[in-house]
Each structure stands twice: as structure tokens, then as C-alpha cells.
Amino acid sequence: MKLEGVELRRIRLSLVAPFETSFGVQTERDVLLVKAITSVGEGWGECVAGEEPTYSSEYVAGAQHVLIHHLLPRLLGQAQVDAEDVGRLLGAVHGHHMAKAALEMAVLDAQLRTRGESFAKYFGAVRPAVDCGVSVGIHKSISELLETVGDYLEQGYRRIKLKIKPGWDVEPVRAVRERFGDVPLQVDANTAYSLSDAAHLAELDEFSLLLIEQPLPEEQVLAHAELARSVRTPICLDESITSAQMAEDAIKLGACRIINIKPGRVGGYLEARRIHDLCAAQGVPVWMGGMLETGIGRAGNVAMAAMPNFTLPGDTSASDRYYHRDITQPFVLHDGRLNVPSGPGLGVDVDLDFLESITHWKQTVGDAKLSHAAS
Ligand code: NPG
């Protein structure tokens, strides 16, 4: 198919509650959406870059700029662009994985909608619904944390992830274990520690956590391997795993026993699928991360989380954990699971009137006349 044009749009959505991590507090998302307008139909992509470059070097205004000036020009002139070509065509541009991922996703959605195939089918999904976990931010007090965790467990979430940072780690974990017994529990440090904290992190061993996610800075793969020798809890990497190559190297070095997959972080669903496959071949379980996606990103993530080696519950929570009103039909928790969309492409419809009402910037790149006719 040919990519005729792309509509880029930024929308603002408030979170139902502030979400605090070791890298800051978020109260809303400023989401960059990509609509691919192709010779055969349209498709949607969501860019997961945040407003500030605090999780990784990417940020939403940068993603918007690189799409307009460096990525789209490399696709719009091509006679033929399928999703499988996007990575190669954008290969000359270094980094910018989240921007690339959003573009590839939109092209893939257009391609699959046209041939009536779901993301799940394309990925080789093996289950109709996926087990869901929930990520719980840093709270002001342990009592407030226990209340939040209790609410989520009542809603049916099958695993709790606690955000930790120095000064908010062993005590909240102990309190959750004491109150809620042997609920599946894991922690996420978002790079907040250093190797000199190894003995302190080993204090978490007594709580039988599923994993400790990304305790050290993203470049410190070797240090993670060293840390892994002094803690019993499995180390899981998130920020460090930016490609299948990095995943392979980290596993070989003994830096992690589990990998969090975020399609945006690694440059798209196709690279994410390669990581899934190589981890499966090495006996390394993976799980689907989350970046507070709207229904568009969630649809793709839930579809991928239904692949065979996604054996741990993901940060794929229900829409109401994030937003009062989503831009697609909401994802609803049933017995701690979300159903995998089965319709063509992402299998969700975008509420265009609502979208328009929360759009604060929009631009069409490419043949505006054609894109106008197609929308
Ligand atoms: O459920 O989508 C979700 C949030 C899961 O904790 C979560 N995401 O570090 O993994 C993370 C964190 C995150 C959120 C990272 C937003 C970057 C941006």
C-alpha cells in the first residue's frame, strides 16, 4: 500500500488520580496520535512519549518534530509501504523509538483493517483474554497506599506492582504483604538505585516478590548482572531493553531473568515481537508494560500480551484505572482479565467527536487533499 498522508494530533486527557514514580508525578497525558491515510484505508497509532524526557530521552514535542521533519519524509515518497518495511525505511534515523513505533503502528493498523485481520491474529495470540496487573504509584502515606491496593484487589486485579524509590521501598512492601497476604506482588524502581544499594535491595528478598524491575540506570547492564548475584528476587529490565539486541545481550550477561516489553520503548510492535520470540527461545518470561495508554495503545498492547510467552500479568489495566472517559470504547476488567480485541486491525473505534473536543493541536502531513477526502 502507499502512505498518502498522516494526520498528527495532540490531545489532553486528565488521569483519574495523580501517578507518582521515582521520576515525577503525572496528573494528565498529552498524547500524540498518528492517523495513517493510505491507498487502502486508515489506521491509528499512539505515541507513548511523555511531556518531559524523564522516563527516557524522548518527549512528546520532540516526537512531533522528528515525525514531521525526519520520519514522515522517509515514508511519504515511497511507492509502497507496508508495516514490515517501516523499520528499515526509518533505519537511518537513530533512536526516537516512540515516534517510530507510533508511525509503524498506524501503518500496521491500516494494513490489517484492510485485510480484515486483527492485531491478535497477526501476532499469533493464543488466548482470548489476558491477566491484568495494576501499577500503584508512590503514595503520601502507607495507610493511603493500603487503601489504594485494597481497592484494586477488590476490582479483581491479579497482580500488584508497587513503585519504589529510596525511602519508599521495604516498608510499603512489608505493609502490603502483611495486609494482603501472598497476593502476586512486584516492585518497579525506574532506575532510582545504584549498585551500592545492593544490600538494601536484598532486604526485599524476604517478601517473595515476583521481580524487581529496573533498579539501576538504563546503561548499567553489567551492574544489573552484579546486583543479580546479590539478590534472590529475579531482576526484570525495562528501560535498559531498547531492542532485541539489547535483550539478547542482557540475558547473556545474566542482567535479568525476566523482561518487560513496551512496544514504544523498542521502536514498535515488530521489534517487540522479535524480543518476545528470542525470550521464548531462551526460556525468559516476558510481560507487557504500560505507559498510561489510551484505548488505541491499549488495544495493541492487549493483543500482543496474548502471545504465548507473555506469562506474567501485564500493566494492562482497565480504562477506568486511567481515564474517566477513553477515546475508544473502554477496556473493562472481567475477573481480572481484559478481552483481546478480535475485530480488524486494533479492533477498537475512535470516538471522533470526543477526540476533536480534547485536541489542542493538529496537522496533516502529505497530500492534504487526499487526506481530507479520506477522513
Ligand atoms: O498501567 O500504564 C500503566 C502504568 C504502568 O507503571 C507503569 N508505567 O515505568 O513502567 C513505568 C510506568 C510509566 C508510565 C513509564 C508512564 C513512563 C510513562
Side-chain angles (χ1 to χ4, degrees), residues 46-89:
E46 174 172 346
C47 180
V48 291
E51 256 178 294
E52 291 198 87
T54 48
Y55 165 79
S56 73
S57 62
E58 286 188 84
Y59 61 105
V60 65
Q64 175 185 322
H65 184 280
V66 81
L67 274 159
I68 294 171
H69 297 281
H70 304 284
L71 302 182
L72 291 171
R74 289 179 156 79
L75 297 193
L76 287 168
Q78 304 290 333
Q80 168 86 15
V81 177
D82 288 330
E84 294 79 7
D85 306 319
V86 172
R88 176 179 49 81
L89 291 169

Side-chain angles (χ1 to χ4, degrees), residues 19 23 26 55 135 161 163 188 190 238 262 290-293 315 322:
F19 183 57
F23 61 87
Q26 271 173 278
Y55 165 79
S135 175
K161 160 168 141 179
K163 290 292 192 179
D188 181 6
N190 287 114
D238 170 5
K262 286 178 181 160
M291 296 183 70
L292 311 172
E293 287 87 350
D315 283 345
Y322 310 93

